[in-house]
Amino acid sequence: MTPQTIRTVQIIQPDNEAHWLEMRTKDITSTESAALFGMSPYVTHFDLWHRKRSGDVPEFKANERMKWGNRLEAAIAHGIAEENGWEIRPMKEYYRDPDARLGSSFDFVITNHPEGPAHLEIKNVDYLAFRDGWIEHDDGSIEAPEHIEMQVQHQMAVSGFARSFIGAFIAGNRGVVIERERDEAVIAAIRAKVAEFWASIEAGQEPEPVMPADAEVLIRLNQYAQPGKVMDASNNEEIARLVADYKHAADQAKNWEEDKEVCKAKLLEAIGDSEKVILEGWSISAGI
């Protein structure tokens, strides 16, 4: 398979999902660049640095929400396209800028837009996620969460397209379309951050972990224990302090769990056999 090259951008048709995942290890992709700005809800800068440095292909497991999102994606896209008079096709190619090590996958491309081809990025959003993460202004305009706004600018940086549309299907009964034009200032910032990121890997300059977000990452990175190795930490004040802090936190967690169970027991006793309780600011469902 020979990649088709346009300017400095390679357009590659993945053979399968494993091939697609392997290609993504070489680049910062459109779903990852938000982490470099501290905006990603999925991965931290520290975690991303270690994943890219190791080059390990991530194990991708789709949960039920993701499975149904993938199943509904085409229907949502074609429904939005029909309402807007667009012709679309799935955009299965993987685009990458090999010099910048910038890559991107896409959902759909609008082929008949009067201003030229444009991306259509589909998001299936439940009510709570929309309420808590999206911004709807009084004039009816909508802003997607910042990591999605960053994603579409990254996509345009790689593809060269001038505009992108976020097609969101909200709560199973409302479709909205957000148009975004290419923002050269944002794209320049993405390119600068990505260049800085790869330079830090080349230099072995690990970013500082940020707690508590990176606690799980540090645990994962330090799982290995050499059989038979014993460390004498008798005079290590830092380890002694951390052990004390850990013991204190564990005791607090146990006490809070016990307090929670006591409150639950007393609450169930107080409401008797009521299945539902309504009070100001709260509701309690106690049915079995």
Side-chain angles (χ1 to χ4, degrees), residues 27 132 212 234 284:
D27 305 317
D132 297 338
S234 303
I284 305 167

Side-chain angles (χ1 to χ4, degrees), residues 10 23 36 70 90 100 172 180 187 198 216 241 288:
Q10 296 176 336
M23 285 191 295
L36 306 184
N70 289 335
R180 288 291 179 261
I187 288 173
W198 289 118
E216 185 178 341
R241 175 181 57 78
I288 298 177

Side-chain angles (χ1 to χ4, degrees), residues 29-90:
T29 68
S30 59
T31 55
E32 295 170 336
S33 56
L36 306 184
F37 296 86
M39 296 177 179
S40 174
Y42 308 116
V43 64
T44 66
H45 186 176
F46 182 79
D47 190 9
L48 186 64
W49 192 92
H50 281 279
R51 290 182 185 276
K52 296 298 181 180
R53 187 182 188 221
S54 69
D56 291 339
V57 177
E59 185 179 353
F60 185 76
K61 292 184 179 179
N63 57 31
E64 283 299 307
R65 185 174 180 177
M66 293 168 65
K67 288 178 183 176
W68 280 104
N70 289 335
R71 290 164 182 159
L72 294 171
E73 182 180 276
I76 295 169
H78 285 285
I80 288 174
E82 182 180 330
E83 290 193 353
N84 288 275
W86 293 335
E87 294 176 5
I88 62 172
R89 70 164 178 84

Side-chain angles (χ1 to χ4, degrees), residues 1-6 8-14 19 23 94-96 98:
M1 180 184 59
T2 302
Q4 175 189 353
T5 304
I6 299 178
T8 60
V9 177
Q10 296 176 336
I11 304 174
I12 307 170
Q13 183 67 47
H19 181 214
M23 285 191 295
Y94 179 75
Y95 280 53
R96 72 180 306 254

Side-chain angles (χ1 to χ4, degrees), residues 271-277 284-288:
I271 68 177
D273 60 358
S274 299
E275 181 183 27
K276 192 172 184 66
V277 180
I284 305 167
S285 296
I288 298 177

Side-chain angles (χ1 to χ4, degrees), residues 250-262:
D251 289 342
Q252 279 191 315
K254 180 182 177 182
N255 291 338
W256 280 111
E257 188 63 30
E258 290 174 350
D259 288 348
K260 186 182 76 170
E261 288 301 303
V262 170

Side-chain angles (χ1 to χ4, degrees), residues 107-135:
D107 289 342
F108 294 84
V109 59
I110 302 167
T111 58
N112 68 333
H113 194 278
E115 306 276 345
H119 304 302
L120 176 59
E121 182 67 24
I122 298 299
K123 301 296 180 185
N124 189 24
V125 188
D126 67 34
Y127 169 75
L128 292 177
F130 182 79
R131 183 196 68 184
D132 297 338
W134 298 59
I135 301 173

Side-chain angles (χ1 to χ4, degrees), residues 169-210:
F169 192 52
I170 301 163
N173 58 15
R174 179 188 176 196
V176 300
V177 175
I178 306 170
E179 180 177 1
R180 288 291 179 261
E181 294 185 349
R182 183 183 178 92
D183 188 321
E184 296 297 346
V186 173
I187 288 173
I190 292 171
R191 288 188 175 277
K193 280 285 188 182
V194 170
E196 181 182 298
F197 176 85
W198 289 118
S200 73
I201 286 184
E202 290 294 325
Q205 296 173 340
E206 176 188 78
E208 286 292 325
V210 177

